[in-house]
Each structure stands twice: as structure tokens, then as C-alpha cells.
Amino acid sequence: MINIISAIGSIGTFIMALFYLVSVSVQLYQMKIGFIPAFGFNQILLTKDKNKELSLKNIASKNSEHQDFLELYNLGGGAAKAITIEIIINQEEIIQKKYVNMLPSQEGYLLPINKKVFQELSNTIENNGYDSNIDIRLTYKHNLSRKQQQIYLRGHIDNFNSYNDKEIYELQFM
């Protein structure tokens, strides 16, 4: 009788050890996910006035003047290293390439954009298109895996609001 009770106790201990192993594995996996970088842009508004001049405004920026940059944020928990940012038109022509050594969590990088990007955005709006030919390719390494990873973001323009003297559009990268 004591052998049976001892056997049941041993089986119970074994089952508890398995539950503990599964619990620790899940917690380690959740910690790993918390260190993965997640890139994103803040809300970007494009304004076209009567003179058909296009201007860009990052909503989170305190600067009220004409802006010629996008704010790239690392929204994940981890630090991204060796980041290469390429702005591509027509899925093949790299018109701008920038390097960022490290982008820690909750930090931003001001990505300057040049005249060709403004022209492409203006052409997309004039042709009443929603998907622009602008892609952003982000290549980076992160602290845990040390593997190089790539993200492709496609530019998308939505009509935001229209007034008598100007039209406002929202630029999103998906």
C-alpha cells in the first residue's frame, strides 16, 4: 500500500515538474518577444495649397514649418542595430539610402526625404491614386538573434480633408 502511495506521489511530482517546465518556457518566449524591434512612423499629413505646392507635416513634431523628414520609431522593446533605410521608387530604383548605427526602444530617427520623393507623392495625388510607387526597405539586426532582417513598407495616401484653400492627405506606410 505504501508503494502505491509513493508511486502516485512520484507521478504527481513528475507532472508538477512538467507544468513548471512549460511555464518557464512560455515566460522565456514572452521575454524574447519583448526584445524584438518593431518599426513604425507617426501620423504624416500632406497639404496641397492653391499653388499646388505640397508640404509635409509630422503630427508628433513640435516644428510648425515645412518639414522634409519622416520620423521613424522603434516601437518594440529591443534595440535595433546596423539599420539600413532605403527609399525605393518603382520597386527597383533606390533614390535614397541612410544608415543608423543603433535605434533603442522608444527612440526616433529623423529620416530626411529628398525632392524625388516629394515629386512622387505629388504625382500620386494628382493621378488620384492611393498606392504610391514609394517603398521603404528597412534592413536591421537585433540584439537577441543577431540575424539580419528586412521589412518592406509601401506608401499609401488617403484623402484626409478638403478646404477651400487647401487639401489635406494622410501618408501611411503599410
Side-chain angles (χ1 to χ4, degrees), residues 75-119:
L75 305 172
K81 293 183 177 179
I83 304 169
T84 304
I85 306 166
E86 297 170 323
I87 299 178
I88 303 168
I89 290 185
N90 298 326
Q91 297 180 345
E92 58 192 41
E93 181 186 350
I94 297 174
I95 60 170
Q96 193 168 344
K97 193 172 193 175
K98 292 289 181 184
Y99 299 98
V100 180
N101 185 37
M102 188 167 143
L103 189 57
S105 175
Q106 304 299 325
E107 293 291 325
Y109 173 73
L110 300 180
L111 174 64
I113 56 174
N114 59 25
K115 190 173 182 177
K116 285 185 180 180
V117 175
F118 273 109
Q119 288 173 346

Side-chain angles (χ1 to χ4, degrees), residues 35-37 74 76-81 102-105 140-144:
F35 287 106
I36 294 176
N74 182 2
K81 293 183 177 179
M102 188 167 143
L103 189 57
S105 175
Y140 66 95
K141 295 179 184 176
H142 75 79
N143 283 338
L144 289 181

Side-chain angles (χ1 to χ4, degrees), residues 153-170:
L153 301 172
R154 181 84 169 169
H156 186 80
I157 298 174
D158 285 329
N159 194 354
F160 192 78
N161 210 341
S162 294
Y163 298 101
N164 291 336
D165 58 341
K166 62 183 172 182
E167 295 179 16
I168 301 174
Y169 301 91
E170 182 179 18

